[in-house]
Amino acid sequence: WSEPLAEGAVILRRLVRDEGAELLALVLDVAAQNPFHHRITPGGHRMSVAMTNCGDLGWSTDARGYQYTEQDQATGRHWPPMPPRFRQLATAAAAQAGFADFQPDACLINRYEPGAKLTLHQDKDEKDLRQPIVSVSLGLPAVFQFGGFERGDATQRVLLEHGDVVVWGGPSRLRFHGILPLKAGVHPLAGAYRYNITFRRAH
Ligand code: MD3
Ligand code: FE
């Protein structure tokens, strides 16, 4: 079932729960080709969230800043291909939220271990901010925070659970958002982790 979160933002609760095992297998397949890695921010901090990417472009961070690149800066190799099911799912979810013809060229996969968090930030490294972002949550639940258009604005909290899909577009595309520290637990399919897959049109 779908619930509007804010203008341009919709949560499609449990949309992919029944194929959670297949999607997790695809995540592990990508990670076998490009292992999860704790990146270092331009400020020199090790991120508590581990990341990998698939698709034509991948997001990464290093001393030069945040950017989308065709190759993993750490290895010099191209990112693994985006599994066709990922692409279909992203396009279908975006369409369901009113964004026709969404064709992602980048897929970032975040892995959260207990205590891992993502502090409030905006996603604005993509070239065309009229394109939505589709996010898929798998494994342990997490508290998602979304705020306004300035860092200090009040925030709302939403629990994101295994199989939930969120589409962020329109005016919500530039909202500040983050993830509170992950509570330890055991998920029957994902064990000690939460995974989040985001699909973007980066270039
Ligand atoms: C709201 N990921 O990768 S997904 C990220 O759960 C990121 O790993 C979080 O924020 C995670 O950048 C949140 C939901 C999400 C994704 C992108 C957004 C919410 C968003 C972009 C704009 C506004
Ligand atoms: Fe984000």
Side-chain angles (χ1 to χ4, degrees), residues 112-116 140-143 179-186 191-194:
Y112 294 76
E113 58 196 51
L140 290 176
V143 180
I179 294 283
L180 296 185
L182 192 81
K183 200 171 158 283
V186 179
Y193 296 114
R194 168 180 187 258

Side-chain angles (χ1 to χ4, degrees), residues 2 13 22 28 36 39-40 54 60 74 83-84 92 95 104 112 117 122 128 131 166 174 178-179 181 188 190-192:
S2 85
R13 289 207 195 265
E22 288 85 350
L28 297 184
F36 282 105
R39 293 178 194 285
I40 308 296
C54 61
S60 69
Y112 294 76
K117 63 180 166 48
Q122 288 174 299
D128 181 0
Q131 296 280 336
V166 192
L174 282 173
I179 294 283

Side-chain angles (χ1 to χ4, degrees), residues 56-117:
D56 293 340
L57 293 163
W59 185 88
S60 69
T61 167
D62 63 15
R64 283 160 301 193
Y66 303 99
Q67 52 187 333
Y68 286 98
T69 55
E70 290 181 1
Q71 280 128 21
D72 182 351
Q73 305 303 96
T75 60
R77 297 175 56 212
H78 283 91
W79 304 103
M82 197 185 309
R85 180 59 195 139
F86 277 14
R87 188 182 303 280
Q88 290 161 1
L89 192 168
T91 303
Q96 202 172 321
F99 298 93
D101 302 319
F102 177 57
Q103 299 287 348
D105 57 12
C107 171
L108 169 66
I109 308 176
N110 292 336
R111 187 187 70 188
Y112 294 76
E113 58 196 51
K117 63 180 166 48

Side-chain angles (χ1 to χ4, degrees), residues 118 121-123 177 200:
L118 206 57
H121 66 278
Q122 288 174 299
D123 288 22
H177 59 279
R200 302 143 194 269

